[in-house]
Amino acid sequence: MSHKILAKDKLDAFLQGLCRDQDLFAPVMKDGKVGWAPVTTAAEALWEFSNSELSPKDFFFPQTECMMRFKNVQGDPQGMIMQAEPALNKPRVLLNIRPCDAKAFQVLDMIFVQDEMTNDLYWRDKREKTTLIGLACNDPCPTCFCTTVGSNPHGTTGLDVLLTDIGDKLVAESFTAKGEALLKELPEVTRQDLFQAGELKKAAEAKITSGVAVDKINAATVMELYDAPLWDRVMESCLNCGTCTFCCPTCHCFDIQDETQGEAGRRVRNWDYCMSWLFTMHGTGHNPRGTKKDRVRQRFMHKFKYIPVKRGGEIGCVGCGRCVQLCPVNIDVRKVVNDMNA
Amino acid sequence: MTEAQFEPRIAAFFCNWCTYGGADLAGVSRLQYPTNLRAIRIPCTGRMNPNFIMQAFRQGADGVWVSGCHPGDCHYIAGNLYARRRFTVFKNLLEYAGLEPGRLHFSWISSAEASKFQQTVIEVTDAVRALGPAQHLIKDIRKVA
Amino acid sequence: MEAIAQKIREAAKKLLSEGKVDVVIGYAKGSVPMREYPYFAYTPEEAENLTWSSFCCNNLALYTIRRPGRMAVVAQGCVSRNLVNLINENQIKRENLYVIGLNSPGMVDRRKVQALFPGKTITEVIEEPEHLLVKGQGFEERIERKKFLRSNCLTCVQRNPVISDELIGQAGPEGHGGNIDNVAAPWEKLIPAERWAEMQETFKDCIRCYACRDACPLCYCYVCFVDEAQPQWCAKSQDEADVMTFHLLRAFHCAGRCTDCGTCESACPQGIKMRRLTSKIEKDIRELYGYRPGMEIGAQPPMSLFKPNDPQDFIK
Ligand code: SF4
Ligand code: SF4
Ligand code: SF4
Ligand code: SF4
């Protein structure tokens, strides 16, 4: 929509504007790890970093989220009451979010908000009240492979604004009305600045040297992939832990439970994960994904076959590389997918 | 709440073959003791999974007390002796993690020791009362997200 | 390291080509620096992928549990101790096991290395005899290996394998000079409120992914207590009580069994130091019952034993 310039010495003023009636969050360095935290000044936020160790999905999909509270008091007019949890009371801004993560939220929108029946108000409420200001990656990591799964180090999908660091200033591009309003007061960009941003984009893309190919996965049937021999090897060292799913920006499985205490209770949803045997355990004792192999296969099939089939070719992975970095036994999604594509 | 007013709730796990009987005897002997404990009968201290202690604290008990047969007197020969090692290691671990000494108690009381039972109830209750309400490990769904 | 790796490959090839075992479980080079991974070689050709480095941090004993057939396992001190544990707990049979033993050089903590280069990406780490050459985007630094050992390797008391059918390289010293009692000591000096504050600080970032449990060769229960649903001992939420219940009870379940192999800490995506709990128990078990786990085939686990005169000062 519009291209503006945000000088680095004007950042604090810009951030002050953002904080006025919103909560502002950004990646920060804490105990040697990059994580998200509230900020009010530019100095608190990180401007040169690869990405947060965990994805920021918990802003919209907290690991533990109370959905409602209830009481079950027989004979009390106030009993048998269900009470909705309050919606988010203040809009939020996520500053310096990476394009891959913003893209992941757009993929999750397709899953959490589909139609009247599948319309997750917990997810939607927070999404609608949040503005995403992205920071383009000029220095992707060796584990990033976004360009091969439909994203880009300077990608704009899902963002309200994208900032590109061109030295002493940032090029700020808006894509939504919300984003445009934020940039209203900023000066126009010059042709030279835009050219520089474009060059940085090309350079960043060139730095992404690893990736996945999915053409043969797309061509194969579900059953061909499902029965492929590779799963016997992929699953061997897997611990069936929650690391890869919990760090992933697009993994979104959850488990809903009622927790009670005396006559009161709450309905709470917690992150869950396909790698856990408990996730699919039935009350009957039957488990449709009863073996480690079934569970490992599910994670990759879901992202690279089931989601694409059901969501018009969209891939359930944005190539952030977090699972590659954090898997305790180095199960590398790039290798698995390339083996699937063999 | 001042300390004087505070009445702790104590989860008390008693072996069926000894302390539970001791409590009965204390009752029929009309011995007076504080009423802060909620007695739970177990078949043997050897059945006492340390997890039960954890669950009592999770559910808000201010103190936990486990009592069984004197060494050598176990109905199942040695349940209490296996339990002893578990209690030692678990108590040390909880207190290492920050549980205040005085919240978790163990005793050997036979079914004939009504007055030891009475004395121990008083001791346990006083110790827990002095510490005030439990602080840690409580699963309170009203407080959290 | 490379010389040792070569010998491991040769031993594995020989075992596989002679048909002595169905599989050799060892380590292979990871796709990211400082992350070797458990590798299963079924053929002499696959044995070529085996490696040995400063980053063999997974405990391979885990993979022998409930695995049919004859297997060879590459085992440094701690792994061999966990194999002994598993034999003593009747989980594996000695005769199905071929131990390719070797002295552990001590493994390096990748988080300690990364901490030297905050916010920067390490692209390659090259092994030199006493040093590591760390390379990244725009930097290169030679660091002294010894200074970056995992905390559990520093306090190790058994670097040589307890059991082995074949020894790779030379037996070496048993320790690295550290004392495991120093792990728990700082907390033991604190008052209860401070200890609890340390607990909160230690586990505040836990995301309950259970990588620590799942990587540990002691945690082989069919159903872990945290996964039990009827009754549900521990809810699935991030509430402090639930996180603490998991960690305290898991640590307790390792009593008299934990070999301080450090795999739990190496596996954790959040860098959580759960050995602060297990090392306290290790110390108690040693001081109270005179036992070190995994040192002797046939030894009975101390928590399934008693002595008439076991300490009981705390019992009224
Ligand atoms: S792939 Fe890795 S991170 Fe994922 S469950 Fe398996 S061991 Fe855990
Ligand atoms: S699967 Fe791995 S690389 Fe893909 S989005 Fe998830 S964490 Fe990132
Ligand atoms: S591996 Fe780390 S984050 Fe995961 S459950 Fe264990 S301590 Fe928590
Ligand atoms: S608890 Fe940790 S250190 Fe102990 S055996 Fe298990 S993985 Fe190793």
Side-chain angles (χ1 to χ4, degrees), chain B:
Chain B
M1 210 185 290
T2 65
E3 254 175 38
Q5 290 169 303
F6 169 63
E7 287 302 335
R9 286 182 308 167
I10 299 167
F13 297 88
F14 295 151
C15 166
N16 175 50
W17 301 101
C18 50
T19 310
Y20 202 83
D24 261 351
L25 187 59
V28 295
S29 311
R30 299 279 187 269
L31 298 183
Q32 299 284 318
Y33 54 80
T35 56
N36 300 67
L37 58 93
R38 311 285 185 274
I40 300 158
R41 185 158 60 154
I42 52 173
C44 174
T45 44
R47 174 65 185 93
M48 188 61 205
N49 189 330
N51 190 4
F52 300 166
I53 297 172
M54 185 68 93
Q55 295 306 317
F57 283 123
R58 280 174 59 87
Q59 292 180 31
D62 301 304
V64 177
W65 172 24
V66 185
S67 187
C69 307
H70 288 272
D73 290 352
C74 176
H75 189 77
Y76 308 100
I77 300 171
N80 54 351
L81 299 179
Y82 289 107
R84 186 166 62 185
R85 286 200 170 188
R86 274 178 236 147
F87 297 157
T88 309
V89 175
F90 194 61
K91 180 172 185 285
N92 282 357
L93 177 65
L94 287 185
E95 292 180 357
Y96 171 76
L99 185 82
E100 306 93 319
R103 290 229 183 261
L104 180 54
H105 298 265
F106 300 89
S107 62
W108 304 139
I109 298 175
S110 80
S111 51
E113 292 177 312
S115 62
K116 179 171 181 186
F117 180 82
Q118 178 196 33
Q119 276 316 308
T120 313
V121 181
I122 293 169
E123 231 177 88
V124 168
T125 311
D126 285 351
V128 177
R129 184 183 282 116
L131 288 169
Q135 314 266 359
H136 311 316
L137 292 169
I138 307 165
K139 171 82 179 180
D140 186 350
I141 63 172
R142 287 166 307 208
K143 277 196 201 138
V144 287

Side-chain angles (χ1 to χ4, degrees), chain A residues 104 143 145 244 247-251 299 303-304 316-324 333:
Chain A
T143 45
F145 57 103
C244 50
C247 72
C248 175
T250 60
C251 277
R299 179 160 197 271
K303 289 180 177 305
F304 290 89
C317 164
V318 292
C320 71
R322 285 187 178 93
C323 59
V324 180
V333 59

Side-chain angles (χ1 to χ4, degrees), chain A residues 252-266:
Chain A
H252 54 272
C253 291
F254 55 79
D255 182 38
I256 297 177
Q257 297 195 333
D258 287 350
E259 294 180 350
T260 56
Q261 184 174 348
E263 289 165 329
R266 64 168 185 172

Side-chain angles (χ1 to χ4, degrees), chain A residues 33 64 233 236-237 332, chain C residues 31 40 42 63 207 238 270:
Chain A
K33 286 192 285 190
T64 293
R233 294 310 293 269
E236 275 178 326
S237 59
D332 188 322
Chain C
S31 66
F40 298 70
Y42 297 93
Y63 297 99
I207 53 172
Q238 285 297 98
Q270 292 286 75

Side-chain angles (χ1 to χ4, degrees), chain A residues 14-210:
Chain A
F14 181 68
L15 262 54
Q16 248 168 40
L18 295 176
C19 292
R20 203 164 301 130
D21 5 69
Q22 308 178 92
D23 288 326
L24 176 64
F25 299 88
V28 300
M29 182 67 87
K30 224 172 102 201
D31 309 330
K33 286 192 285 190
V34 182
W36 285 80
V39 297
T40 48
T41 61
E44 293 168 75
L46 287 177
W47 298 86
E48 273 173 54
F49 63 104
S50 52
N51 204 348
S52 56
E53 293 210 7
L54 300 178
S55 94
K57 70 178 168 189
D58 58 335
F59 280 108
F60 309 108
F61 174 42
Q63 180 159 10
T64 293
E65 179 169 35
C66 181
M67 307 177 81
M68 65 161 186
R69 292 177 187 272
F70 50 86
K71 267 200 307 192
N72 189 3
V73 192
Q74 301 288 347
D76 175 350
Q78 288 291 302
M80 306 300 287
I81 279 181
M82 287 184 236
Q83 202 178 13
E85 276 295 281
L88 193 63
N89 59 7
K90 211 170 165 193
R92 285 171 173 168
V93 182
L94 302 190
L95 177 72
N96 290 353
I97 189 169
R98 289 303 190 186
C100 56
D101 289 335
K103 159 91 182 171
F105 299 146
Q106 188 235 13
V107 174
L108 289 185
D109 283 340
M110 291 183 220
I111 289 159
F112 279 112
V113 185
Q114 296 178 16
D115 51 39
E116 240 169 275
M117 287 300 289
T118 309
N119 185 352
D120 191 296
L121 60 105
Y122 303 92
W123 171 269
R124 222 189 53 212
D125 174 57
K126 298 184 217 31
R127 280 287 279 157
E128 284 166 358
K129 290 175 183 161
T130 306
T131 307
L132 298 184
I133 302 182
L135 181 65
C137 300
N138 289 337
D139 255 320
C141 286
T143 45
C144 295
F145 57 103
C146 53
T147 48
T148 65
V149 284
S151 189
N152 190 286
H154 285 231
T156 61
T157 311
L159 287 173
D160 296 290
V161 171
L162 176 69
L163 304 174
T164 307
D165 188 338
I166 58 166
D168 52 351
K169 50 195 171 182
L170 301 147
V171 172
E173 189 182 354
S174 65
F175 312 99
T176 61
K178 242 200 276 188
E180 176 136 24
L182 289 179
L183 305 185
K184 203 168 60 220
E185 311 283 320
L186 297 178
E188 289 296 326
V189 73
T190 66
R191 194 181 285 264
Q192 174 58 27
D193 296 332
L194 269 187
F195 174 77
Q196 228 178 312
E199 290 300 302
L200 284 168
K201 175 169 190 246
K202 274 187 239 159
E205 285 166 358
K207 282 185 192 155
I208 294 189
T209 49
S210 70

Side-chain angles (χ1 to χ4, degrees), chain C residues 205-212 246-247 264 267-270 272 274:
Chain C
D205 286 341
C206 173
I207 53 172
R208 290 187 73 183
C209 66
Y210 298 149
C212 48
F246 163 58
H247 282 290
C264 44
C268 177
Q270 292 286 75
I272 285 162
M274 58 297 257

